Amino acid sequence: MNILILAAGYGNRMDDLTKNIPKPMLKIKQKMLIDYAIEIAQKISHQRIFVNTHYQNQILESYIKENYLDIFRSRSIDISEVQIDKSGKSFFWSGKYRSDMKTRDTLETQVNVLSKFNPNIPKNFDDANVLVLGNLDPKVQLDVINKKFKKTRFVVLDTMNFWMNNSMSDLEKVISKVDLICINDEEVLQLSHCHDLQQAVQKILKMGPEYLIMKNGEKGAILFSKNDTFKCSSYPVKKVVDPTGAG
């Protein structure tokens, strides 16, 4: 069960108490109302919790995000270089999955604050053996590669059809510099301009990468190199709830 917490109101009945902050951030016994609401929601559901915001939304959203970062800190995860940009909205994608729960149609893509994202790589990270390039603007990925990490021996690239449609020239430059690229079967055909998967795979491997991981929906994934192929089957489930990110 998903839960929606309504936190968008102006709080007019609170008079001056909500002049500078949203009502959910008012405190009772030194604890904010939004904290009480989230705690109750977590007891009811272990699935997704949504918070509907509007009035003074950036203040409330920043507070919630900061609290979630505490979860990482409590587990000794280094988040010293996490950047929080309050100047705009985060990346947003929406799409519609067809009846096969695999084929999707993109309805909207908003790059938002990621359009000006410039990752700051701390010095204690520049000796990483493996560099993983997240699904970002190829210009950002290229900039990270060009920083020339001292001991990096393997570079992994994650990308998607949006960048193929809008930044193909820069994406090709990135692909030529990586060891492994990870995309789905539709993107393999799009990137290679081929209709046959085997021909498409070989064409992509000639673009630079030594390996290609092709995500193949409910069938799992396949790892390709010039001479070898390794298939990894998916784990079958009776009911598919949300395929997003399941690749």
Side-chain angles (χ1 to χ4, degrees), residues 33-64:
L33 295 176
I34 188 64
D35 291 330
Y36 284 111
I38 291 176
E39 285 181 8
I40 294 172
Q42 288 173 333
K43 292 178 182 178
I44 297 173
S45 173
H46 292 288
Q47 296 189 32
R48 293 185 293 181
I49 300 172
F50 298 91
V51 181
N52 180 31
T53 65
H54 175 66
Y55 175 65
Q56 301 281 14
N57 62 302
Q58 290 189 345
I59 298 176
L60 179 58
E61 290 170 13
S62 294
Y63 171 74
I64 294 173

Side-chain angles (χ1 to χ4, degrees), residues 1-48:
M1 178 176 65
N2 296 328
I3 293 180
L4 174 63
I5 298 175
L6 301 178
Y10 288 91
N12 292 330
R13 287 174 291 181
M14 299 292 104
D15 295 327
D16 290 341
L17 293 176
T18 54
K19 184 177 180 180
N20 298 313
I21 61 171
K23 184 173 69 173
M25 294 186 70
L26 295 178
K27 291 183 178 181
I28 297 179
K29 293 184 177 180
Q30 304 304 313
K31 182 186 288 188
M32 293 186 184
L33 295 176
I34 188 64
D35 291 330
Y36 284 111
I38 291 176
E39 285 181 8
I40 294 172
Q42 288 173 333
K43 292 178 182 178
I44 297 173
S45 173
H46 292 288
Q47 296 189 32
R48 293 185 293 181

Side-chain angles (χ1 to χ4, degrees), residues 177-244:
K177 295 177 178 289
V178 304
D179 300 288
L180 183 152
I181 180 173
C182 183
I183 50 180
N184 65 33
D185 50 349
E186 293 179 356
E187 291 161 343
V188 166
L189 297 177
Q190 179 179 347
L191 180 61
S192 64
H193 302 289
C194 292
H195 297 290
D196 179 80
L197 275 176
Q198 289 298 328
Q199 292 179 5
V201 167
Q202 293 305 315
K203 185 173 180 179
I204 292 173
L205 291 176
K206 291 178 181 179
M207 295 172 69
E210 186 175 353
Y211 303 98
L212 162 66
I213 291 179
M214 183 178 73
K215 298 175 287 185
N216 203 19
E218 78 281 2
K219 297 178 182 178
I222 306 175
L223 171 66
F224 295 96
S225 68
K226 292 181 180 179
N227 302 314
D228 296 300
T229 301
F230 174 78
K231 295 183 179 180
C232 180
S233 299
S234 62
Y235 183 82
V237 293
K238 294 181 179 180
K239 181 181 179 182
V240 177
V241 178
D242 182 4
T244 305

Side-chain angles (χ1 to χ4, degrees), residues 17 34 39 62 77 103 105 109-110 127-128 147 161 173 194 196 233 241:
L17 293 176
I34 188 64
E39 285 181 8
S62 294
I77 297 174
T103 310
D105 298 315
T109 302
Q110 298 179 17
D127 61 348
K147 291 184 185 298
N161 57 346
K173 294 177 184 177
C194 292
D196 179 80
S233 299
V241 178

Side-chain angles (χ1 to χ4, degrees), residues 129-133 141 144-145 149 152-158 174-175 177-182 209-211:
N129 291 324
V130 178
L131 173 62
V132 180
L133 300 170
Q141 296 173 325
V144 172
I145 291 176
F149 295 84
T152 299
R153 294 179 297 177
F154 200 83
V155 181
V156 180
L157 168 65
D158 183 18
V174 177
I175 293 174
K177 295 177 178 289
V178 304
D179 300 288
L180 183 152
I181 180 173
C182 183
E210 186 175 353
Y211 303 98

